[in-house]
Amino acid sequence: EVQLVESGGGLVQAGGSLRLSCTASGFTFGDYVIGWFRQVPGKEREVISCISSYDGVTYYGDSVKGRFTISSDNTKNTVYLQMNSLKVDDTAVYYCALGDIDAQIAVVTPVKCYGMDYWGKGTLVTVSS
């Protein structure tokens, strides 16, 4: 069973920083896309950032470019999201997601990220003014 476990959410003041972590386990495919999405009640889920385990290509959504940085440790199947200069609008539940590159399901390029099949339960990030 594939599992994604997120951690690092919490309450922070605007302008502050948080670092999210997500560790994936139980998957059998080799190369993958792993990334972060967020959702606010009543709104569509938004792609935040993704990274490829194959070549390290990354994607960032326009709303977080220059403020958030994704990184990964492939030896630990772990992805991190360093979030700086947080804004009240960044408040959301942040989900980690995983997709299979080998089966040509998941894709990440600098302009898109899609094909995620596995999802974590989410971690809440609240940014106060």
Side-chain angles (χ1 to χ4, degrees):
E1 179 187 4
V2 177
Q3 289 191 323
L4 298 167
V5 180
E6 303 107 332
S7 61
L11 174 64
V12 64
Q13 285 192 325
S17 299
L18 279 177
R19 188 193 195 208
L20 304 183
S21 300
C22 171
T23 298
S25 62
F27 62 94
T28 58
F29 42 89
D31 285 306
Y32 53 84
V33 177
I34 191 166
W36 294 93
F37 297 67
R38 70 185 181 189
Q39 191 164 23
V40 175
K43 293 188 177 181
E44 289 190 1
R45 186 171 57 202
E46 178 185 6
V47 182
I48 297 303
S49 185
C50 303
I51 188 167
S52 166
S53 73
Y54 175 70
D55 55 11
V57 169
T58 58
Y59 165 86
Y60 291 96
D62 288 341
S63 62
V64 304
K65 282 180 181 176
R67 300 189 298 123
F68 291 10
T69 302
I70 193 169
S71 61
S72 63
D73 183 340
N74 293 341
T75 65
K76 298 180 180 179
N77 294 327
T78 298
V79 64
Y80 307 95
L81 187 69
Q82 178 66 43
M83 305 186 294
N84 299 330
S85 302
L86 283 161
K87 305 175 181 179
V88 173
D89 287 348
D90 293 320
T91 297
V93 177
Y94 284 70
Y95 297 91
C96 179
L98 180 75
D100 184 351
I101 286 181
D102 290 345
Q104 300 181 338
I105 297 173
V107 172
V108 58
T109 74
V111 296
K112 59 187 174 183
C113 171
Y114 63 85
M116 317 304 266
D117 283 333
Y118 305 96
W119 296 83
K121 294 182 178 180
T123 185
L124 177 63
V125 171
T126 303
V127 184
S128 64
S129 58

